Amino acid sequence: MTHHYVLTDGWTLSAVSPDPADHPADPAEVDAAYAVPPLPAEIAATVPGTVHTDLLTAGLIDDPYIDLNERKDEWIGHTAWVYRTSVERAAIARASAAADGAEHTELVFDGLDTVATVTFNGTVLGQTFNQHRTYHFDVTELLVDGANALEVRFDSAWAYAQRIQAELGDLPNAYPTPFNFIRKMAANFGWDWGPQLVTAGIWKEARLETWSTSRLAEVRPTITVDGANGLVRVDALLPASAAFGPGAPDSASSGKHVAASHPAQLALEVAIDGQATRVLVPAKIAAEGGLVSATLAVPDVNLWWPIGMGEQPLYQLEVRLLAAAAVAAAGESVGGGAAAGSPEGVGVGVGGAPSIQLDQWSKRVGFRTVELDTSEDEAGARFAVVVNHVPVFVRGRTGFPTTAFRRAARPSATVAASSRRSTRTSTSCGCGAAESTNATSSTRPATSSASWCGKTSCSPVPRTPKSSRFGRRSRPRRTTTCCGSRRTPVSCC
């Protein structure tokens, strides 16, 4: 099994003065505009979180959403910041007995905002330039007994975007900011009605993952319908494993971990609504890593419908990775042991050989077909969403960021309830929004609302002056050119 040790404790934050060479303006002007005010050497940090919220919690800045405070805080986005913590190896072992002595340990960040350098025990693991993806770093050989030092430095997103802009040349942009040259939540750089708060920080969960033999590195289900039957295809990515590589022992021996017995086979098991199948993992993929696919038909499924068109039944999809000296092949019985999705259990393989669960993945899914009809009509071409072969009259909204600080965002359950009350059939993640979290995405099948996500992909025009007599913004007149247009900037996903 993959065991998680979440890194939430002991984080501190420190500022690093901006480098004038990173800015095209006169160095004297940079020093004056973005000089770091007196700060403690270390500031208590919350992870997940952002620099702005940590400074606000510590009483070091005023609320940037009040009056003109956002202007006073511009230096934050032009400053480099360093997060630090220490991880005790013994604490990892205490959190999970199985993690003690595991063959592999990875440092995982679900989200880094944005230009980050990750260092573990003095070794640079890598650099990141994308807020919208997850990063894995192998630290198996770097872990030491006692304290392990972890440091994440965030350089200025402004400076990075300006460097890329200088390299590539300018691109169409209605605003005087380089938001379309960086893979970051574009709304941080300000809209006509929104504040300019260029954030940095470990904005999603950070953790250590430990595992042995093999695991489910990624799982991607594809759900559709054929007649009355539901069709499930699961593509699972497995990592390379020395347990199946050259030199792995042929004979099994008992040991604390499954890997110690060096199983002869791996199998992928998929189960949903009482149906299950197993697919043997080819030896080459087990040793070198790669994709394994399994398909399953579910008879007489109940269809998922958008709100106002029907019900939204959901089915529990379970995926397990099994290891044994011999496991049942596809089409053979998978019974006689732990049920699919049960905790780290032991099943039965071919000839009664034990089949041990290495990893599991579970999610609720709905069966439906979704098509985009662009056939010709009297006006030129249609743009119609068709669900289960029925055209949907789209009643929707565009959801803009409720805050620049993602950890303080409106709870997904609140957004879902709002969609149900208003009978919307569609929700768009609006211009400049960060991508949906797993929590938000997981609620969507039950909210009966389809979704469109542009992430960082809109180009608003034009920008309205921010200031008024009381520091508030008047209601602007604006138009927006969004995804799918000829003006979609380079940052479109």
Side-chain angles (χ1 to χ4, degrees):
M1 294 290 289
T2 299
H3 298 274
H4 295 179
Y5 181 78
V6 181
L7 303 174
T8 57
D9 298 331
W11 287 97
T12 62
L13 178 67
S14 301
V16 180
S17 296
D19 184 351
D22 285 337
H23 302 274
D26 181 82
E29 295 179 5
V30 171
D31 287 341
Y34 307 131
V36 178
L39 294 174
E42 290 187 338
I43 303 163
T46 299
V47 173
T50 66
V51 170
H52 282 78
T53 51
D54 288 330
L55 294 175
L56 190 59
T57 299
L60 298 171
I61 62 172
D62 295 322
D63 189 338
Y65 277 91
I66 296 178
D67 297 328
L68 295 178
N69 290 337
E70 68 172 283
R71 291 188 173 180
K72 295 193 303 181
D73 298 337
E74 284 185 6
W75 61 273
I76 298 172
H78 292 272
T79 302
W81 299 90
V82 179
Y83 284 78
R84 295 185 180 93
T85 192
S86 181
V87 185
E88 292 286 340
R89 191 166 192 167
I92 303 173
R94 287 194 299 270
S96 173
D100 185 18
E103 293 177 345
H104 303 275
T105 301
E106 288 187 349
L107 175 62
V108 181
F109 294 97
D110 284 340
L112 294 172
D113 177 16
T114 296
V115 185
T117 301
V118 181
T119 304
F120 192 83
N121 283 337
T123 298
V124 175
L125 302 179
Q127 294 180 300
T128 77
F129 309 96
N130 190 336
Q131 181 184 1
H132 303 293
R133 57 157 293 179
T134 298
Y135 291 93
H136 291 248
F137 302 100
D138 190 346
V139 296
T140 305
E141 303 300 325
L142 298 177
L143 273 173
V144 297
D145 292 332
N148 292 267
L150 173 58
E151 177 180 298
V152 184
R153 173 184 170 125
F154 290 93
D155 287 300
S156 167
W158 275 104
Y160 172 84
Q162 288 168 338
R163 285 197 298 271
I164 300 301
Q165 184 178 27
E167 292 175 11
L168 299 179
D170 210 358
L171 293 171
N173 185 355
Y175 290 161
T177 61
F179 74 88
N180 53 342
F181 290 91
I182 186 170
R183 301 287 293 156
K184 174 175 171 59
M185 177 177 166
N188 282 167
F189 289 90
W191 298 121
D192 43 15
W193 48 265
Q196 188 177 91
L197 299 169
V198 179
T199 58
I202 305 172
W203 75 291
K204 288 186 178 182
E205 185 178 278
R207 63 186 176 275
L208 290 169
E209 293 184 357
T210 59
W211 53 280
S212 295
T213 305
S214 190
R215 70 165 183 162
L216 298 169
E218 294 180 13
V219 176
R220 180 180 293 274
T222 303
I223 312 297
T224 187
V225 178
D226 182 15
N229 296 329
L231 300 180
V232 178
R233 175 190 171 97
V234 171
D235 294 301
L237 179 64
L238 307 185
S241 176
F244 301 94
D250 295 329
S251 59
S253 60
S254 61
K256 184 174 182 179
H257 294 289
V258 175
S261 64
H262 295 283
Q265 289 179 305
L266 291 179
L268 184 71
E269 180 177 289
V270 177
I272 185 171
D273 196 38
Q275 306 294 315
T277 187
R278 274 185 189 169
V279 175
L280 295 182
V281 177
K284 182 177 177 64
I285 292 179
E288 301 176 5
L291 280 176
V292 181
S293 300
T295 58
L296 188 62
V298 183
D300 300 321
V301 294
N302 295 312
L303 297 180
W304 180 97
W305 291 93
I307 192 167
M309 298 179 67
E311 299 299 319
Q312 297 81 43
L314 298 175
Y315 294 77
Q316 197 71 25
L317 174 62
E318 308 280 355
V319 180
R320 298 200 300 161
L321 181 65
L322 306 174
V327 292
E332 297 191 21
S333 171
V334 299
S342 64
E344 205 164 2
V346 177
V348 177
V350 176
S355 170
I356 301 176
Q357 180 174 301
L358 296 178
D359 210 351
Q360 66 176 353
W361 178 97
S362 178
K363 193 165 223 178
R364 296 188 304 164
V365 299
F367 288 95
R368 79 288 179 270
T369 63
V370 179
E371 301 168 274
L372 181 61
D373 182 2
T374 58
S375 60
E376 293 184 2
D377 63 10
E378 63 279 2
R382 304 185 72 200
F383 190 91
V385 178
V386 181
V387 176
N388 300 329
H389 310 294
V390 178
V392 176
F393 180 73
V394 175
R395 306 180 304 278
R397 68 171 183 188
T398 297
F400 291 90
T402 55
T403 173
F405 312 131
R406 301 308 300 165
R407 289 301 298 172
R410 195 179 182 191
S412 58
T414 304
V415 177
S418 173
S419 293
R420 286 194 296 271
R421 287 195 303 268
S422 61
T423 67
R424 296 184 182 101
T425 58
S426 176
T427 299
S428 168
C429 304
C431 302
E435 69 177 30
S436 301
T437 63
N438 289 337
T440 305
S441 299
S442 65
T443 65
R444 193 168 292 120
T447 67
S448 63
S449 173
S451 66
W452 310 71
C453 197
K455 299 176 186 175
T456 58
S457 57
C458 293
S459 179
V461 292
R463 186 172 179 79
T464 301
K466 286 188 168 187
S467 60
S468 68
R469 189 159 65 97
F470 300 102
R472 299 185 178 89
R473 298 166 184 78
S474 58
R475 183 180 297 275
R477 293 182 179 181
R478 65 190 295 271
T479 58
T480 303
T481 305
C482 289
C483 267
S485 75
R486 295 180 183 272
R487 296 193 58 186
T488 299
V490 69
S491 61
C492 189
C493 297

